[in-house]
Amino acid sequence: METIRTSTPSRTLDIKDNLSKCSQGERVIKLLSGEDLPLEMHKTTIVKKLNLMPIDERVAAIGRAGSNTFLLKSNEVFLDMLTDSGTNAMSDKQQASMFIADDAYSGSESFYRLEAILQKVFRKKFFWPAHQGRACEHILSRLLVKPGDVIPTNYHFTTTRAHIKLQGGTMIEIFTDDAMQVKSTNPFKGNIDIGKLEQAFKDFSGKIPFVRLEAGTNLIGGQPISLENIRQTAEICKANGVPLMMDASLLQDNLFFIKTREASCRDKTILEICNEVASHIDIIYFSARKFGAARGGGICLDDPMLADKIKELIPLFEGFITYGGMSSREMEAIAVGIDETMDFDNISQGPQFIKFMVDELENAGVPVVTPAGGLGVHLDARAFLPHVPPEQLQAASLSAALYIVSGARGMERGTGSEDRNPDGTECIANLELIRLAMPRRVFTMSQIKFVIDRIIWLWKNKELVGGLKWRNEPKIMRFFFGELEPIGDWQERLAKKFKKDGGA
Ligand SMILES: *Cc1c(COP(=O)(O)O)cnc(C)c1O
């Protein structure tokens, strides 16, 4: 089924730097020289050795991987910027909590500790555990979506859309015009368009089982939604008698942006903002591979009838209701991780490192999504490689090229991540991005500067990067396992020029 895309113009706001005005104890330390350099509010206590293979081996590795960074082995990668999923650094307290994990099949103490933290941050009556975010989507779609249903959302995520489609539903994306502008000053590019949402309730009367908000939006550059937008969306849902659902997988960054970009929230603590966000939402689900910085997931809600139905499905698909497919150790780590998410120092690091990298790349003229969002840095492959036709997968070409010159791997988020049109032609994506995820508290400033250096070299040598064609194309979710090959010998020529310029 096709995804219907709608949009209307939105007000563009200037981003004010509210950081220095934040409330006591929640502030950003500035260098007195005036240099805008994010300061890490943590120290490294456990390290993992990295491997930077020589460039000729990297060319061979990306060839074996079909120019698909998903198919590289971790030890072939120097800086792994594929995803923030399950790869965020854990704190000493998270690690310590894992030692007291209670591996009871039923009634595990670890579950109740996690439940208590979720009650503190979301204040919902029920919490059901699941092994990861898409497992929550599977269960919720199964219960709430029937054939012909239409689900309005600010933007889809791959696994969300797949589960809704599986139940015969369609997602309609109701984003603002700014969302599709690579360059923008709109601080909340992830907002749902309120006018269009009201219209959708008229157009699809009786067919909308719920509205889904993603905070922030994964596929359009980690762009946040505002508390005001959440509040307005909740009002419309109430007026129409349907629940409002939030995918809170990336809520951590979104909380940071609400505090630092939404004037009315400047003096609120992260916990207060989180409570307020949740108060407008009926069903919250999350991937704890991101939210909570460990590995797991869950659903929080108040509705006792829906809670009962979910309770029946969890043991069928996930595991008993006091672990839901998660290990007890992970439940402990998630509980501490979510509690630590309420700490401004903790959640600032990701967005600030991302902003640093975006600013440096922009200054060098590299096309990059602005304003800087959460999750990672997004390069605009369409503007980077205008000489490569869209059918030759610009974003995939660029991510293969970047791996060759840096050993860093990003993720293609463009045409390669779409399914083909029903007539068999390529479905050219709205945005052709490569995402360089910034797993939280993982990389040092020198490593980020190294990646910036390599991207700038690539920008100056972009004509050397060519296109790709499919060598093995799966029917669904082809971006995971699909294999491509370079059209011509551009990868070898790129490596040759890089070596000539002193790279290794
Ligand atoms: C990662 C993610 C998911 C899926 O979570 P998994 O734990 O990977 O299954 C769903 N929604 C969003 C917004 C995500 O970023």
Side-chain angles (χ1 to χ4, degrees):
M1 210 163 291
E2 282 288 288
T3 300
I4 304 160
R5 293 189 162 123
T6 54
S7 66
T8 53
S10 81
R11 205 160 50 100
T12 297
L13 302 168
D14 280 335
I15 295 177
K16 293 211 184 69
D17 186 5
N18 281 339
L19 295 179
S20 54
K21 301 181 196 114
C22 287
S23 57
Q24 278 296 316
E26 295 191 333
R27 76 283 184 249
V28 171
I29 310 290
K30 301 258 181 207
L31 293 193
L32 297 178
S33 68
E35 190 188 349
D36 196 5
L37 195 67
L39 183 65
E40 295 88 340
M41 300 303 280
H42 52 263
K43 64 178 178 181
T44 309
T45 53
I46 292 184
V47 294
K48 178 166 177 63
K49 182 159 173 14
L50 291 173
N51 176 33
L52 176 55
M53 295 193 316
I55 184 155
D56 292 332
E57 288 179 30
R58 298 200 295 273
V59 172
I62 201 72
R64 284 194 299 275
S67 286
N68 179 352
T69 52
F70 269 106
L71 300 181
L72 288 165
K73 292 181 178 148
S74 167
N75 68 1
E76 294 168 338
V77 174
F78 178 47
L79 301 176
D80 199 347
M81 306 181 90
L82 185 72
T83 171
D84 62 334
S85 176
T87 56
N88 301 291
M90 292 213 289
S91 71
D92 51 352
K93 294 192 173 63
Q94 280 183 289
Q95 295 269 359
S97 73
M98 295 173 101
F99 281 102
I100 54 163
D102 175 17
D103 271 321
Y105 184 90
S106 135
S108 161
E109 284 173 37
S110 305
F111 172 80
Y112 294 114
R113 275 193 277 272
L114 175 54
E115 185 185 52
I117 292 293
L118 284 161
Q119 241 139 30
K120 174 178 146 185
V121 301
F122 293 145
R123 301 195 170 165
K124 300 289 174 208
K125 291 196 190 87
F126 302 99
F127 159 56
W128 301 124
H131 78 278
Q132 64 184 99
R134 70 199 68 184
C136 306
E137 290 168 341
H138 167 224
I139 285 172
L140 289 168
S141 302
R142 208 171 241 278
L143 290 172
L144 297 173
V145 180
K146 34 179 218 317
D149 277 355
V150 168
I151 290 90
T153 184
N154 49 341
Y155 210 76
H156 82 278
F157 183 69
T158 50
T159 55
T160 326
R161 185 162 73 183
H163 278 296
I164 286 173
K165 255 169 116 171
L166 206 59
Q167 302 302 325
T170 311
M171 291 193 105
I172 51 168
E173 295 175 311
I174 305 181
F175 44 78
T176 60
D177 274 358
D178 287 338
M180 290 301 121
Q181 301 303 318
V182 171
K183 298 239 170 268
S184 166
T185 54
N186 185 336
F188 293 107
K189 263 164 92 173
N191 278 354
I192 199 162
D193 187 308
I194 297 295
K196 287 278 176 181
L197 178 60
E198 281 175 322
Q199 188 57 42
F201 273 105
K202 290 185 190 129
D203 294 347
F204 304 105
S205 169
K207 287 187 166 176
I208 297 179
F210 60 89
V211 172
R212 171 182 176 275
L213 282 181
E214 190 173 300
T217 44
N218 190 320
L219 299 188
I220 53 172
Q223 298 293 324
I225 60 180
S226 69
L227 181 56
E228 179 56 20
N229 191 249
I230 295 169
R231 197 190 56 71
Q232 289 179 351
T233 308
E235 246 171 41
I236 294 171
C237 287
K238 259 199 201 83
N240 287 281
V242 306
L244 176 56
M245 181 187 288
M246 176 173 280
D247 180 340
S249 304
L250 303 175
L251 183 61
Q252 144 161 9
D253 296 331
N254 208 121
L255 291 171
F256 171 87
F257 291 122
I258 289 176
K259 183 174 171 71
T260 57
R261 293 181 184 181
E262 202 161 349
S264 62
C265 295
R266 187 188 297 155
D267 295 323
K268 293 180 180 153
T269 64
I270 295 297
L271 178 60
E272 284 166 352
I273 295 170
C274 189
N275 284 166
E276 203 169 328
V277 166
S279 73
H280 297 298
I281 312 289
D282 301 294
I283 305 160
I284 303 175
Y285 74 89
F286 59 93
S287 165
R289 299 179 65 82
K290 295 121 185 201
F291 189 70
R295 285 140 294 260
I299 304 168
C300 299
L301 74 168
D302 278 330
D303 176 358
M305 304 245 283
L306 180 58
D308 264 357
K309 290 186 196 157
I310 296 172
K311 186 178 176 181
E312 281 174 14
L313 293 187
I314 296 286
L316 201 54
F317 292 110
E318 297 299 306
F320 192 70
I321 50 162
T322 51
Y323 69 90
M326 287 183 276
S327 84
S328 311
R329 284 167 191 74
E330 295 291 340
M331 286 197 289
E332 294 284 0
I334 295 164
V336 175
I338 291 176
D339 208 18
E340 289 176 344
T341 297
M342 300 301 121
D343 174 353
F344 184 73
D345 278 347
N346 175 351
I347 64 169
S348 305
Q349 193 267 350
Q352 288 188 85
F353 263 53
I354 291 164
K355 181 174 182 299
F356 175 84
M357 190 163 159
V358 165
D359 288 350
E360 295 284 307
L361 291 172
E362 245 206 323
N363 289 341
V366 177
V368 58
V369 173
T370 63
L375 178 55
V377 172
H378 296 73
L379 304 180
D380 177 5
R382 195 160 281 158
F384 207 116
L385 303 177
H387 56 283
V388 175
E391 295 74 24
Q392 294 181 14
L393 306 161
Q394 294 156 308
S397 301
L398 187 58
S399 60
L402 181 62
Y403 170 74
I404 290 171
V405 302
S406 69
R409 73 164 157 181
M411 188 191 289
E412 194 272 2
R413 293 275 81 153
T415 299
S417 298
E418 299 281 342
D419 295 334
R420 277 183 187 268
N421 293 320
D423 69 359
T425 55
E426 282 288 0
C427 170
I428 305 301
N430 289 353
L431 294 177
E432 198 70 50
L433 303 179
I434 106 158
R435 181 184 83 191
L436 299 168
M438 194 78 77
R440 296 159 189 94
R441 298 186 293 181
V442 168
F443 297 127
T444 63
M445 185 49 75
S446 0
Q447 289 167 342
I448 294 308
K449 286 193 164 181
F450 169 84
V451 182
I452 293 168
D453 178 80
R454 291 327 198 229
I455 294 171
I456 292 173
W457 182 89
L458 205 51
W459 173 240
K460 290 181 180 152
N461 292 274
K462 55 182 176 292
E463 292 77 18
L464 290 171
V465 180
L468 299 167
K469 59 175 192 260
W470 291 101
R471 159 170 108 192
N472 175 12
E473 183 184 351
K475 283 228 162 52
I476 35 170
M477 298 235 179
R478 57 185 193 171
F479 61 91
F480 278 135
F481 307 119
E483 291 173 34
L484 298 140
E485 61 191 19
I487 299 172
D489 63 348
W490 64 262
Q491 297 188 340
E492 285 75 16
R493 286 190 292 118
L494 183 73
K496 203 168 153 200
K497 172 73 178 356
F498 182 74
K499 281 190 281 190
K500 188 165 155 267
D501 286 357

